[in-house]
Amino acid sequence: MKHHEEEHLKNSDFITDAVIGLSDGLTVPFALAAGLSAAVSTNTIIVTAGIAEIVAGSIAMGLGGYLAGKTEIEHYDAELKREYDEVERVPEREKEEVREVFADYGLSERSQNLIVEELVKDKTKWVDFMMKFELGLEKPNINRARNSALTIGLAYVVGGLIPLLGYIFTSTPKKGLMSSTILTIICLFIFGYFKSKVTGQPLLKGALKVTLIGVIAAAAAFFVAQLFG
């Protein structure tokens, strides 16, 4: 028999965090640099401001990821404690909720009762079942907050440095903007392409969508700076 391998998205937390960090890192410093290009006459100011923004942005994004990860863990622990309490206080109601889950899958009443009686013999597995199928909660990685902060923060730095390269290796804001725009659009398209690939989305559509968002943000910043300048 031919071996069948199922393709599923794994380590989705890392991918989600990397996408958040890279997309914001590519877009925000790019928009900032584009806006400054219309208001200043030297690349040094743009690069300095860009680096400052990357430092501040990566810290802010990383802390946001850390707090989100901690909140996810705290929420799971609170619900887990509540579920253990309900299993102790109102076991019959909890059993009925298990039956309802299997009833939704089309199992007969006899099958439901058999499964319930086997499941409730192990309180830990019973509670774990309720967490997953009643509340839709998976136990988060204990290192989720730390990993999220590092992944988002570092991805933001990597993404943010790309638009600045155009200003580092050119002599004027106008040339820097042209180089930065070309480089960033290429990177946004590549990033959007691979993001769509790992998430199972239409490749070209996903790449163009990510690229368009970055271009719109930069264009808005540029024209606002030019207007007020």
Side-chain angles (χ1 to χ4, degrees), residues 123-142:
K123 188 179 295 183
T124 300
K125 292 181 178 178
W126 183 7
V127 170
D128 183 59
F129 178 89
M130 299 303 292
M131 293 292 288
K132 290 180 180 177
F133 292 93
E134 180 193 12
L135 303 178
L137 296 175
E138 291 283 349
K139 185 175 182 179
N141 186 336
I142 193 172

Side-chain angles (χ1 to χ4, degrees), residues 92-111:
E92 292 305 318
R93 190 181 72 184
E94 294 299 295
K95 288 181 181 180
E96 184 58 34
E97 290 176 351
V98 175
R99 292 189 185 93
E100 290 174 0
V101 171
F102 288 108
D104 289 339
Y105 283 96
L107 273 68
S108 66
E109 186 174 340
R110 180 173 177 275
S111 297

Side-chain angles (χ1 to χ4, degrees), residues 27 185 188-189 205-219:
T27 304
I185 286 176
L188 282 168
F189 187 87
K205 182 180 179 180
L208 290 174
K209 182 168 64 175
V210 170
T211 304
L212 184 61
I213 291 172
V215 171
I216 291 174

Side-chain angles (χ1 to χ4, degrees), residues 98-213:
V98 175
R99 292 189 185 93
E100 290 174 0
V101 171
F102 288 108
D104 289 339
Y105 283 96
L107 273 68
S108 66
E109 186 174 340
R110 180 173 177 275
S111 297
Q112 295 169 29
N113 291 329
L114 286 172
I115 294 173
V116 168
E117 293 309 315
E118 288 296 319
L119 181 63
V120 300
K121 291 178 181 178
D122 189 324
K123 188 179 295 183
T124 300
K125 292 181 178 178
W126 183 7
V127 170
D128 183 59
F129 178 89
M130 299 303 292
M131 293 292 288
K132 290 180 180 177
F133 292 93
E134 180 193 12
L135 303 178
L137 296 175
E138 291 283 349
K139 185 175 182 179
N141 186 336
I142 193 172
N143 297 318
R144 169 72 173 133
R146 181 200 64 191
N147 294 345
S148 182
L150 290 174
T151 303
I152 293 176
L154 290 175
Y156 190 93
V157 171
V158 172
L161 288 174
I162 291 173
L164 294 185
L165 293 176
Y167 296 91
I168 293 173
F169 296 107
T170 56
S171 57
T172 64
K174 184 177 180 180
K175 292 179 180 179
L177 178 59
M178 291 178 62
S179 300
S180 179
T181 300
I182 294 171
L183 182 60
T184 305
I185 286 176
I186 292 172
C187 290
L188 282 168
F189 187 87
I190 294 172
F191 167 67
Y193 179 89
F194 282 103
K195 173 192 171 185
S196 301
K197 188 172 184 179
V198 299
T199 55
Q201 304 299 312
L203 301 181
L204 183 59
K205 182 180 179 180
L208 290 174
K209 182 168 64 175
V210 170
T211 304
L212 184 61
I213 291 172

